[in-house]
Amino acid sequence: MAGDKSPWGNTGKGDEPGDDSPGADRGAGGGDGPRNPWLPGGGEPGKRRSASIEDIFKNRGPEGPRRAGGGPGGPTFRLPERPGGKSWMPVILGAVAAIWLVVTSIHFVQPGEQAVVTWVGGKYSDTLDSGTNWTAPWPIQMVEKENVTQIRSEEIPGTNTEKLILTADQNLVDLSYLIRWNISDLALYKYQLSDPRNALLEIGEAAMRAAVARKSLDTVLTGEGRADIEQDVRQRMQARLDAYRSGITVQGIEINKTDPPGRVEEAFKDVSSAQQDADAAINRARAVAQQLLARAQGDASEFNNIYAEYRLAPEVTRRRLYYETMESILSKTDKTIVESGNVLPYLPLPELKQRSQAQPPRPQGE
């Protein structure tokens, strides 16, 4: 490789002191070999010097490196001039400033929305209602819009999450519910509480625990007291939110689920099944009792009717009762008694009937 030329115009030995090889002369700017692109042109042949920052930016203009012919007399970019030789730059800057003032000063607030206006630094200034409103341009005044009529929902405790609440009879119930609310005062909602949504959730949980703690487990599970619980929770929440000046209105509470805890769910099912069987037995006993009571009431009514007739004609009623009683008794006996002086007082009619049936019939002609 001794005969190869360096791309910088000299060989590996051309930089050594006292080197008189031809490559050294070419590397310095003389000769026909490739020259070092980082060294400025000119200078004495055979003499190497380092590049300075002035040399690098010497031929550079604002728009980039000048090309050939791009010296002081070369072409440059200039804005067109107005009639009279004046520049268009003031006009362009004025138009941009006017557009900026109009765009950042006019605010269109949609129906159902409100907007809060704040000064530089976040200090509250005013509340804008729906319509077209004017403010100072940004960033002197800043506007933040919010929908205040939208009904928002918060589900507690969320999907596939268990929340156990203690009842009045010291039992636990897994309960989930929904809070529906909206913004009543945007300024209070934005600046009174640091986290109004989290405050709503905390107040809702406290109110629900207080309401359920006044109900028994059976009342909560069967849904018998669900409406009372929902109304109680809503009133408690609204009173606390108003005391905090939160700017929130609770529209309603809806209980979605009331189940026993997952770890004792099977035991609760067994208890529920036994309770259903007990209720069925009680219902059957009540039905039999009602039937007996109705029958007794019917007998008593019949007796009262007979007694009323007896009071009108005692003798006739007494005889009728005697005859009906004797008829009922004698119809079930095999003996017949006839009260007459010409016949026997006792006739063995059943025995005679049996004898006649036991004797074979006599053949004809005897």
Side-chain angles (χ1 to χ4, degrees):
M1 299 298 290
D4 295 341
K5 293 183 178 181
S6 170
W8 307 112
N10 57 2
T11 61
K13 300 179 180 180
D15 293 334
E16 296 179 1
D19 188 9
D20 296 334
S21 62
D25 296 336
R26 289 193 298 269
D32 55 354
R35 57 184 298 277
N36 191 340
W38 304 109
L39 296 180
E44 299 179 3
K47 184 178 181 181
R48 178 186 301 272
R49 67 185 182 89
S50 62
S52 65
I53 197 71
E54 296 179 357
D55 295 333
I56 295 175
F57 291 98
K58 186 175 182 181
N59 294 325
R60 235 180 128 78
E63 68 279 358
R66 292 194 179 97
R67 301 178 182 274
T76 59
F77 175 77
R78 299 182 61 185
L79 292 173
E81 297 180 350
R82 291 187 297 168
K86 297 182 179 180
S87 174
W88 284 97
M89 185 61 65
V91 177
I92 294 175
L93 294 177
V96 172
I99 294 173
W100 170 72
L101 289 174
V102 171
V103 171
T104 60
S105 298
I106 302 177
H107 306 279
F108 300 98
V109 182
Q110 300 297 327
E113 291 183 343
Q114 287 184 349
V116 290
V117 183
T118 56
W119 295 99
V120 177
K123 185 178 179 181
Y124 171 74
S125 173
D126 193 11
T127 302
L128 305 179
D129 293 326
S130 59
T132 304
N133 300 272
W134 293 79
T135 63
W138 183 90
I140 300 175
Q141 282 188 332
M142 291 169 286
V143 176
E144 185 177 357
K145 301 177 183 178
E146 192 76 39
N147 192 330
V148 297
T149 59
Q150 178 185 3
I151 304 299
R152 309 166 192 233
S153 299
E154 301 291 343
E155 186 176 1
I156 302 175
T159 306
N160 299 327
T161 305
E162 187 179 54
K163 178 172 285 296
L164 301 179
I165 299 179
L166 191 66
T167 60
D169 49 2
Q170 304 300 315
N171 287 308
L172 293 175
V173 59
D174 180 15
L175 189 143
S176 66
Y177 54 98
L178 191 71
I179 301 175
R180 291 182 285 106
W181 61 282
N182 71 309
I183 301 173
S184 58
D185 191 317
L186 184 59
L188 293 178
Y189 177 77
K190 287 290 186 181
Y191 302 107
Q192 183 65 24
L193 300 177
S194 60
D195 191 350
R197 179 181 175 275
N198 184 64
L200 175 73
L201 298 180
E202 295 292 339
I203 293 173
E205 182 174 355
M208 180 59 71
R209 290 186 180 277
V212 173
R214 302 173 60 184
K215 301 292 183 180
S216 64
L217 178 64
D218 293 338
T219 303
V220 177
L221 290 179
T222 58
E224 179 181 351
R226 180 171 297 184
D228 295 337
I229 294 175
E230 293 173 349
Q231 184 66 20
D232 189 9
V233 172
R234 181 181 178 278
Q235 293 176 355
R236 289 173 181 268
M237 288 186 62
Q238 193 62 60
R240 183 58 58 187
L241 291 171
D242 292 343
Y244 290 160
R245 302 181 66 232
S246 62
I248 295 175
T249 299
V250 180
Q251 298 295 335
I253 306 295
E254 182 179 349
I255 297 177
N256 295 329
K257 180 183 68 172
T258 53
D259 293 333
R263 289 172 292 181
V264 294
E265 187 174 0
E266 294 298 329
F268 267 83
K269 290 181 178 179
D270 295 339
V271 172
S272 178
S273 178
Q275 185 65 39
Q276 292 177 359
D277 295 341
D279 293 341
I282 292 173
N283 292 333
R284 289 194 298 268
R286 287 176 179 174
V288 174
Q290 290 177 357
Q291 292 177 358
L292 295 176
L293 180 61
R295 185 180 303 173
Q297 289 176 349
D299 295 341
S301 178
E302 182 180 1
F303 180 81
N304 291 333
N305 294 333
I306 295 175
Y307 179 69
E309 295 294 332
Y310 173 78
R311 293 181 60 184
L312 295 176
E315 185 63 28
V316 175
T317 305
R318 188 181 300 111
R319 285 182 176 274
R320 184 171 62 83
L321 292 175
Y322 173 76
Y323 293 149
E324 290 178 355
T325 304
M326 295 303 296
E327 181 180 2
S328 175
I329 294 174
L330 295 177
S331 62
K332 299 177 182 180
T333 183
D334 295 337
K335 298 178 180 180
T336 302
I337 299 175
V338 180
E339 295 183 358
S340 175
N342 299 326
V343 294
L344 294 175
Y346 168 72
L347 296 178
L349 297 180
E351 295 180 2
L352 296 176
K353 186 177 180 180
Q354 292 178 0
R355 292 177 183 177
S356 62
Q357 292 178 355
Q359 293 179 358
R362 294 180 180 181
Q364 295 180 2
E366 290 184 359

